[in-house]
Amino acid sequence: MSDRAVITLRSQADRDRASKWSQGVTIGSKIVFHGPGRTIPQNDALHAAIGDIARQRDYHGVKLPVREWKLLFLDAVDREVRMLPNLDGTGFVSVGKSTSALSKEEFTALLSVVYEWGNRNGIKWSDQPNE
């Protein structure tokens, strides 16, 4: 077996294979379990919603790109967003977590915050009917 292996548990046979593999790894190896990640429809919905917000709203008088709106919403759902001074000392760099690390449940919470904020702020959603 290589230094890295990934099994997506879809059956009891997959569980059995993971258990067998764990018996053969070197002591000191790390085994990490991750729940199911975000879905493609969730990802598409987030990008559409944040794109709508970025096109329709300023933030404190400044037009923000989608990636900066995404960081604002990640912070709103208590995800770690850290800023460090850049290497030449002229600004800051975001080194926080990305949406790719979110579980389905965390991604659902993020989408809820985005839609709730957008509804409160008059966003017209491109991917769903407005009431």
Side-chain angles (χ1 to χ4, degrees), residues 27-43:
I27 297 299
S29 295
K30 183 188 300 185
I31 297 176
V32 178
F33 294 96
H34 291 279
R38 67 184 179 192
T39 65
I40 291 171
Q42 281 181 313
N43 192 58

Side-chain angles (χ1 to χ4, degrees), residues 61-78:
V62 177
K63 199 70 157 163
L64 297 180
V66 168
R67 71 183 187 291
E68 291 175 7
W69 277 107
K70 192 187 303 185
L71 289 172
L72 285 168
F73 286 112
L74 276 169
D75 181 69
V77 293
D78 294 327

Side-chain angles (χ1 to χ4, degrees), residues 8 21 23-25 33 55 64 70 76 79 100 108 120 130:
T8 300
W21 283 5
Q23 299 304 310
V25 297
F33 294 96
R55 282 187 296 282
L64 297 180
K70 192 187 303 185
R79 296 299 296 179
S100 63
T108 297
R120 250 190 7 250
N130 289 301

Side-chain angles (χ1 to χ4, degrees), residues 53-54 56-64 69 117:
I53 291 169
Q56 296 174 42
R57 288 291 174 267
D58 290 347
Y59 186 73
H60 295 279
V62 177
K63 199 70 157 163
L64 297 180
W69 277 107
W117 187 94

Side-chain angles (χ1 to χ4, degrees), residues 8 10 34-48 50 66 70 74 79 97-111:
T8 300
R10 294 187 180 98
H34 291 279
R38 67 184 179 192
T39 65
I40 291 171
Q42 281 181 313
N43 192 58
D44 292 347
L46 179 69
H47 285 275
I50 292 180
V66 168
K70 192 187 303 185
L74 276 169
R79 296 299 296 179
K97 302 219 177 182
S98 71
T99 55
S100 63
L102 299 178
S103 69
K104 281 184 184 179
E105 292 77 18
E106 290 169 322
F107 212 91
T108 297
L110 175 61
L111 278 169

